[in-house]
Amino acid sequence: ARVHNNLGLILWEKGRTEEAKLSFQTALQLDSEYVLAANNLASLLLKENKFIEAKELLEKAIRKAPRYLELYVNLGHVYEGRDRLEEAAQYFYFVIQQGGQNSAAYVGMGNVLQKAGQLTAAKEYFQKAIWLRPENASAYYNLGNVHFAEKNFYQALSDYDKALKLDPKIAGAYINSGNIYFYFNDNKSAIEMYQKAVTVQPDLAEAYLNLANALHADKRTEESRTAAGKALVIYEGAGNKKRAAEIRKA
């Protein structure tokens, strides 16, 4: 089971998520008590916004290993993803109360507070997450999002840069960095950031659309149309008719 779990992590790192999922599932078939594989599979499902499947998996794992705190953190993310913020906060706070050393729980609580509009409190949680685990890329990224919301753009850029040095696959950090450069009329830097975003996550319609706008501002008309066309295909494929119609009209 451990071999399949480790293989799943390697495949996930390489972006082969379906194969990774199968590896985690195989690990669980071989050892139904292997909660680490259950948590990894739940984490992958969360990335795909499959909250119901993740919730069922996590609750089952918690019954088997009630002291494994990472399960509660992920369950908090399930409720956070479904905008059930009070329930999410309960799980994150429960983990924090168990000794206060879980950096991921502080990030989760910070996300909940940010969504609730409590930016100052959210910053404190992200900063505590970084203090506990300086290599926590997610904490830097989310701290950057708070500074972005506060229009403290230079600090946000610094946070995103730190996040990307730790984890160069955070597409949102590239997008928001691009948005900041575009705001300051630095089209070339914005284009570079958006291109990195779509390289990391090719199905990001928002990144292609922002790329199209930056290319248009840089007078690269044909490239702009190509980027907009890719955004259109993604929106249509996702059934987002409203956004697709807006692109067609532009």
Side-chain angles (χ1 to χ4, degrees):
R2 181 178 296 179
V3 171
H4 287 284
N5 178 67
N6 291 341
L7 177 60
L9 292 172
I10 293 169
L11 291 167
W12 191 1
E13 177 67 21
K14 292 182 176 180
R16 295 159 63 179
T17 54
E18 289 305 313
E19 293 171 83
K21 197 182 301 182
L22 285 172
S23 290
F24 294 139
Q25 289 168 341
T26 301
L28 287 170
Q29 287 169 1
L30 293 170
D31 182 359
S32 62
E33 303 292 320
Y34 196 12
V35 293
L36 183 58
N39 192 56
N40 288 333
L41 179 55
S43 296
L44 197 155
L45 292 169
L46 279 168
K47 292 286 186 182
E48 297 176 341
N49 295 328
K50 295 179 179 179
F51 301 118
I52 302 300
E53 291 178 53
K55 178 175 179 289
E56 292 174 355
L57 189 63
L58 290 165
E59 288 176 339
K60 184 178 179 181
I62 285 172
R63 289 194 291 271
K64 295 175 180 177
R67 295 184 181 180
Y68 187 44
L69 296 180
E70 294 299 328
L71 297 170
Y72 297 93
V73 173
N74 265 345
L75 198 50
H77 287 310
V78 167
Y79 286 106
E80 178 199 341
R82 299 173 70 190
D83 288 325
R84 292 165 62 173
L85 301 184
E86 282 191 25
E87 290 158 288
Q90 288 173 4
Y91 283 103
F92 295 134
Y93 190 62
F94 168 77
V95 175
I96 290 169
Q97 284 184 311
Q98 309 308 304
Q101 300 302 306
N102 190 300
S103 180
Y106 280 93
V107 173
M109 183 64 85
N111 287 340
V112 168
L113 290 166
Q114 183 181 359
K115 286 184 176 181
Q118 299 180 44
L119 299 185
T120 300
K123 273 194 290 190
E124 291 175 1
Y125 276 93
F126 294 138
Q127 288 164 344
K128 182 62 181 284
I130 292 167
W131 182 79
L132 286 169
R133 185 168 164 257
E135 68 276 17
N136 191 332
S138 177
Y140 280 111
Y141 168 58
N142 285 290
L143 182 59
N145 289 342
V146 173
H147 286 132
F148 185 93
E150 293 177 332
K151 300 188 185 303
N152 187 350
F153 295 132
Y154 291 110
Q155 185 57 56
L157 277 176
S158 175
D159 295 329
Y160 293 141
D161 182 62
K162 290 173 183 175
L164 289 167
K165 283 178 179 175
L166 291 164
D167 182 359
K169 293 185 178 181
I170 304 177
Y174 290 119
I175 291 175
N176 276 354
S177 294
N179 292 342
I180 292 169
Y181 286 124
F182 190 63
Y183 177 81
F184 287 121
N185 296 315
D186 185 350
N187 297 326
K188 287 181 171 54
S189 294
I191 289 166
E192 181 184 352
M193 290 295 109
Y194 296 140
Q195 287 174 332
K196 287 181 177 180
V198 298
T199 299
V200 167
Q201 193 171 335
D203 61 348
L204 270 178
E206 176 192 359
Y208 276 113
L209 197 56
N210 291 356
L211 175 59
N213 291 333
L215 287 165
H216 180 76
D218 205 43
K219 303 187 186 306
R220 294 161 64 177
T221 307
E222 288 305 314
E223 292 173 84
S224 174
R225 287 174 181 165
T226 299
K230 289 180 179 179
L232 177 63
V233 169
I234 294 168
Y235 280 128
E236 287 181 334
N240 193 332
K241 296 180 181 179
K242 182 180 179 181
R243 292 296 283 152
E246 289 172 352
I247 295 172
R248 289 184 183 282
K249 290 179 181 178

